[in-house]
Amino acid sequence: MSTDAPHEVRPAADTAAGRAPRKADDAGQPAHKGGLRRKGLSERNRPLWMLIPGGALMIIIIVVPLLLGIYMSVLNLDQYTLRKWISAPLIGAENFVEAVTDSPLLHAVWLSVSYSLLAMVVTLPLGIAAAVATQNAFKGRAVIRSVFLIPYVLPSFVVATVWRTMLQPGGIVDEALATVGIHVGLWLNGPQTFWTLVLVQIWASWPFIYLLALSGLQSVDHEVHEASALDGALWWNKLRYVIFPYLKGPLSLAFLIGMLHHINNFTLPFVLFGVPAPADVEVLPILTYVTSFQSFRFGLSAAMAFISLVLIAIPLFVYLRAVKLDDAETPGAKK
Amino acid sequence: MRFKSTTGLAAIVTAAALALTGCGSGSGNGGGSTSSDGKVDGTGKTLNVLVGVLSQYPEQQKQWQSDIAAKFKAETGADVKFETFASANDELTRIQTSVVSGQGPDVYGLGTTFTPTAYATKAFVTLSDDDWKKVGGKDRFNPAALGISGPDKDHQAGIPFVSRPFVMAYNKDLLAAAGIDKPATSWDELAAQAKKMTNGDTYGIATGYKDNFDPWKFIWAMSVQAGNPLVDGNKLKMDDPTVKKAYQTYFGWLTNDKVVDPAAVGWSNSNAVAAFASGKAGYLMMTTSSSIPTLDKSAIAGKYEYTLMPTIAPGETKSKSDGDAASILSGDNLVVADYSKQKDLAFAYIKLITSKEEQLNYQKTFGDLPANGDALKELAGNAKLKPITDAAAKSKATPFTGAWGDIQLGLLNVTVQSVPDLAAGKVDEAALDSRIKDAQNKGQASLDRASKG
């Protein structure tokens, strides 16, 4: 948005790669210095009315349901009051109190966050390694790159169904492990389910990191490689101090989107474990679903959803401020 | 949108509903003019019917629907438009949206155990005497089938359409080889017989512990047979010793008696059917006539029979329930939406498809038993169907309360959380107690809300 705060934190590589950001600065500067006359088209007469269709859609699709959800959360809305839901009894904060004190909500939040973080911590190096490995041209690279994307393009439902079949007691995974003398026990019930969920999530989501890392790598200017080669940087130093700073932007974005996606992932645990889910994988979306559509406590479940929204929004906000993803000037995100 | 907040989940239904509310308010009655001879004239109108898809018989279902539509057109002049739902979740979503928006299908097909929840929404017509006359009279139905139509005789919303009682199947050869001359009638006897048949990779009983429905049906049946109907007025009685005994018996097949394949901890009902069909199990528990097509094409075609499941609770010598409780009252009910503007037409449609002729026709095609009394009587003469018609007459309704969904979920959840223990070969008693207690508390809370609702 603003064009005047790009210079505070500049990774070392930026001085080498500074040309492109400069250009952006040049384009931006007249707006500041040129006064009203030259601001003209770009700011004063911006045709904001053109945002109306999009804005209206945003209101209908996002704002209205959100407000309704919040309204529902203060109603005693269940199967008995659903039909005339507008006149369902108003019970204030009762749903919130029940959600926090008398439901597995906090446990679910803990499960969701820890599982998402674990999956993320493993997929990050995996994705980066895969991106780096396929950066330089070699024979068959196109094929490998396409193969890497398979888990990403498969629908979640298919991924979960296939894994569920493989992980059944006496299924193909158990048999394969048994041939080397490992007996793991149940994958789809009991305490191990948590790790099953993490495992399948890793399998399904590392290509996303890979994709964004790859896009980051491709934005590294050719001169940067040349310059670091001239300076005699070996591969690790080059990777660590020259290339990785370029990846910071895309990978921060990947981390953020990935975390949100994992926390909100309903299909994977639902298809893998079914409902009622084993207590160790009763993650947020499953809990909200069961409360809404098995117990018919729509009000309570709206309260749960709202609490989890707030819980997610706080770190999200802090994080967004910290990494300034909205700043077009960070390296890697610049183009 | 994919990454949007979880609020979306709860809000989407409402959003969709809101969009529809505007045009859906106001209710009307009638629909088609009724002439003096009771015929409904629905010329130019269209009746919307929502029913479950019969995935086993997709072609036949389409055929049946177009046949019925033609007959209905001939009778009333109105068209029928069928919509289907693929799963219980699908159905729920449809019902919720319609309930909130006040528009949608005129007639719904509902599973029996879902009827109390649907009734609790008050979105469906509670039939008056007059309404019953319009569907052909209450006395045309098998009295047992009316057991889960409403909370009492005067408040009934569900019109029975078909019965699908649960029975067990047994492998005649395996029973004979083990020297058993007739199938068990008590759960104790069942375990004893199953032990005799278990040998190597052949097991006495095939059942799926990971099924989404079966477990609670066993617990319900054994508890009811021991004299505990689970719900007594506003009290939930899951903490009763009979319930614990039921779980111990059900889990015990695997852990103590070792008459169930250990892999069954990961099985659903269809895995159990497959195990039985391969001839590796003496008894197939909790099945319906819908397993006939699979079994008749399998290795054991002609070597199996159906019979009633045991009706004497574990540790007892006779049934303590009034009525034998051989099965939950299972099948489909039809309900007419309260918001429908063509209720008479809806009743006329129901009258048509619950007639003796159509019910027999339906049974022939799909295997489900008629809810029509005369039609059922006619089938009782059929030896192969005898055990199933018996089970239909000896079925007992699950408690009629809006809280039943929660109670059922609680019963099932005890099994789900016990599966790791089952796999390890021992279900710890203290753990079982605490799981039952948890289910009792949640279920009781739900019942409390129901009594206020």
Side-chain angles (χ1 to χ4, degrees):
Chain A
M1 312 283 159
S2 85
T3 49
D4 52 6
H7 295 291
E8 302 139 4
V9 193
R10 270 288 163 89
D14 225 14
T15 36
R19 248 157 278 172
R22 285 282 143 64
K23 262 181 239 152
D25 281 355
D26 294 343
Q29 267 158 9
H32 287 284
K33 293 180 181 165
L36 274 180
R37 192 180 51 83
R38 292 184 60 190
K39 221 179 201 174
L41 235 173
S42 69
E43 279 185 28
R44 203 183 41 177
N45 291 327
R46 278 177 301 186
L48 284 176
W49 59 269
M50 290 185 89
L51 291 174
I52 290 173
L57 276 178
M58 293 270 280
I59 287 173
I60 293 174
I61 294 170
I62 297 173
V63 179
V64 170
L66 183 68
L67 293 178
L68 273 176
I70 296 171
Y71 179 56
M72 272 168 72
S73 69
V74 296
L75 296 179
N76 180 16
L77 191 64
D78 54 20
Q79 72 263 48
Y80 311 106
T81 52
L82 179 65
R83 192 164 74 116
K84 299 208 163 74
W85 70 277
I86 292 284
S87 54
L90 201 71
I91 52 167
E94 264 179 56
N95 282 328
F96 290 91
V97 174
E98 183 176 350
V100 174
T101 58
D102 196 24
S103 85
L105 178 71
L106 296 181
H107 180 65
V109 170
W110 160 245
L111 283 178
S112 279
V113 172
S114 56
Y115 125 82
S116 306
L117 209 58
L118 273 170
M120 211 31 139
V121 166
V122 179
T123 47
L124 268 178
L126 266 181
I128 297 171
V132 171
T134 56
Q135 166 70 3
N136 292 329
F138 57 86
K139 205 165 180 220
R141 183 176 69 162
V143 179
I144 300 279
R145 279 186 170 176
S146 321
V147 169
F148 278 0
L149 287 181
I150 289 178
Y152 188 64
V153 295
L154 286 179
S156 230
F157 187 85
V158 176
V159 172
T161 310
V162 171
W163 276 97
R164 190 187 59 200
T165 313
M166 295 199 303
L167 292 171
Q168 265 169 8
I172 188 166
V173 173
D174 280 356
E175 302 232 330
L177 289 177
T179 55
V180 290
I182 303 174
H183 296 278
V184 186
L186 290 179
W187 293 95
L188 301 176
N189 267 101
Q192 242 160 253
T193 45
F194 182 77
W195 301 105
T196 307
L197 184 60
V198 172
L199 177 82
V200 178
Q201 184 68 66
I202 290 171
W203 187 87
S205 62
W206 72 266
F208 174 66
I209 311 282
Y210 156 76
L211 262 187
L212 285 189
L214 199 62
S215 79
L217 283 179
Q218 308 219 316
S219 72
V220 179
D221 286 330
H222 191 63
E223 301 96 85
V224 178
H225 289 286
E226 274 176 15
S228 56
L230 281 175
D231 287 343
L234 292 176
W235 72 274
W236 172 247
N237 277 336
K238 181 174 149 194
L239 212 55
R240 169 72 186 79
Y241 297 104
V242 181
I243 305 300
F244 280 176
Y246 272 93
L247 295 184
K248 205 180 124 198
L251 287 183
S252 305
L253 187 68
F255 183 85
L256 194 64
I257 295 178
M259 279 297 281
L260 291 182
H261 182 217
H262 295 172
I263 289 177
N264 286 333
N265 196 344
F266 170 72
T267 317
L268 206 57
F270 181 72
V271 178
L272 271 176
F273 309 109
V275 285
D280 304 272
V281 283
E282 201 175 31
V283 289
L284 263 179
I286 296 283
L287 180 68
T288 319
Y289 171 84
V290 169
T291 310
S292 252
F293 301 108
Q294 299 274 318
S295 301
F296 312 108
R297 304 286 311 276
F298 305 104
L300 178 62
S301 118
M304 286 175 170
F306 185 65
I307 293 172
S308 50
L309 176 71
V310 172
L311 285 178
I312 293 167
I314 295 171
L316 180 66
F317 184 71
V318 173
Y319 187 78
L320 277 176
R321 296 295 302 209
V323 301
K324 288 202 164 49
L325 275 179
D326 55 347
D327 176 0
E329 297 297 314
T330 28
K334 66 190 163 151
K335 283 182 179 170
Chain B
M1 278 318 288
R2 200 166 157 202
F3 306 121
K4 267 318 290 175
S5 77
T6 28
T7 316
L9 193 69
I12 279 170
V13 173
T14 331
L18 184 87
L20 297 168
T21 315
C23 31
S25 52
S27 71
N29 209 339
S33 52
T34 313
S35 65
S36 52
D37 58 351
K39 281 253 189 275
V40 180
D41 178 20
T43 315
K45 292 181 185 275
T46 304
L47 189 73
N48 289 301
V49 178
L50 181 74
V51 289
V53 72
L54 303 169
S55 47
Q56 269 182 319
Y57 309 99
E59 292 307 314
Q60 292 91 325
Q61 189 177 24
K62 276 197 198 108
Q63 185 61 43
W64 182 85
Q65 287 176 348
S66 69
D67 291 352
I68 281 292
K71 281 178 197 165
F72 190 60
K73 178 111 182 163
E75 205 155 289
T76 63
D79 291 309
V80 190
K81 196 167 140 248
F82 289 97
E83 288 176 88
T84 53
F85 55 84
S87 68
N89 285 331
D90 222 16
E91 176 187 22
L92 253 175
T93 314
R94 279 305 303 272
I95 290 176
Q96 280 162 1
T97 325
S98 307
V99 164
V100 175
S101 65
Q103 63 177 15
D106 301 294
V107 178
Y108 291 77
L110 298 179
T112 43
T113 51
F114 188 65
T115 309
T117 307
Y119 184 87
T121 66
K122 303 187 190 86
F124 302 100
V125 178
T126 301
L127 277 77
S128 64
D129 289 344
D130 212 30
D131 294 337
W132 277 110
K133 268 181 211 133
K134 288 178 193 162
V135 296
K138 209 183 237 184
D139 48 6
R140 79 174 356 192
F141 299 100
N142 166 21
L146 283 160
I148 196 155
S149 295
D152 56 61
K153 277 199 177 66
D154 301 324
H155 298 88
Q156 296 185 318
I159 306 157
F161 176 48
V162 292
S163 300
R164 219 177 295 116
F166 287 90
V167 290
M168 64 184 182
Y170 61 96
N171 185 318
K172 287 192 279 187
D173 292 0
L174 284 179
L175 257 72
I180 300 161
D181 55 356
K182 71 181 185 46
T185 55
S186 78
W187 295 101
D188 292 347
E189 193 187 354
L190 180 84
Q193 290 187 355
K195 271 187 195 161
K196 284 189 201 161
M197 289 188 282
T198 303
N199 183 15
D201 66 346
T202 302
Y203 291 91
I205 294 176
T207 190
Y209 287 96
K210 199 162 164 53
D211 192 80
N212 282 338
F213 300 95
D214 286 3
W216 71 257
K217 290 174 191 159
F218 282 110
I219 307 307
W220 173 86
M222 292 181 198
S223 304
V224 170
Q225 291 159 4
N228 173 12
L230 288 183
V231 176
D232 185 8
N234 291 331
K235 287 267 172 297
L236 182 63
K237 289 170 69 185
M238 265 183 75
D239 47 3
D240 192 271
T242 50
V243 176
K244 187 171 161 192
K245 177 90 183 160
Y247 276 113
Q248 284 169 334
T249 307
Y250 176 56
F251 295 156
W253 294 338
L254 188 78
T255 55
N256 298 334
D257 308 329
K258 305 198 190 304
V259 294
V260 179
D261 188 337
V265 293
W267 285 1
S268 67
N269 188 291
S270 55
N271 298 104
V273 173
F276 181 75
S278 69
K280 295 286 181 205
Y283 283 111
L284 169 64
M285 305 306 295
M286 215 46 93
T287 190
T288 67
S289 51
S290 63
S291 60
I292 294 177
T294 312
L295 296 179
D296 276 350
K297 272 183 242 146
S298 75
I300 56 157
K303 296 181 193 161
Y304 73 95
E305 296 262 3
Y306 290 108
T307 185
L308 290 188
M309 276 190 286
T311 51
I312 299 169
E316 303 285 344
T317 47
K318 62 180 180 43
S319 173
K320 286 185 170 177
S321 89
D322 47 332
D324 272 340
S327 159
I328 63 161
L329 184 54
S330 169
D332 291 336
N333 282 332
L334 299 164
V335 290
V336 176
D338 196 36
Y339 54 72
S340 169
K341 293 188 172 62
Q342 33 196 19
K343 295 195 180 83
D344 283 352
L345 206 54
F347 290 137
Y349 167 76
I350 293 171
K351 183 178 180 181
L352 172 68
I353 63 171
T354 54
S355 67
K356 182 183 169 190
E357 237 171 281
E358 289 306 331
Q359 291 259 293
L360 284 171
N361 182 21
Y362 193 87
Q363 191 279 330
K364 230 178 280 166
T365 323
F366 304 106
D368 290 337
L369 289 187
N372 180 299
D374 291 343
L376 194 64
K377 262 180 219 138
E378 193 156 312
L379 290 177
N382 181 332
K384 191 175 161 201
L385 288 174
K386 176 105 181 24
I388 301 176
T389 49
D390 274 2
K394 290 180 176 174
S395 292
K396 203 168 156 57
T398 42
F400 199 96
T401 160
W404 179 251
D406 260 348
I407 296 169
Q408 184 180 316
L409 195 71
L411 284 168
L412 181 60
N413 197 37
V414 173
T415 305
V416 169
Q417 308 303 345
S418 299
V419 162
D421 299 355
L422 273 177
K426 187 176 187 310
V427 180
D428 182 56
E429 198 174 329
L432 179 62
D433 281 341
S434 88
R435 285 173 198 138
I436 294 178
K437 188 160 172 272
D438 187 43
Q440 161 75 21
N441 291 342
K442 283 184 186 158
Q444 182 62 56
S446 189
L447 261 181
D448 291 345
R449 278 198 309 279
S451 61
K452 274 183 252 157

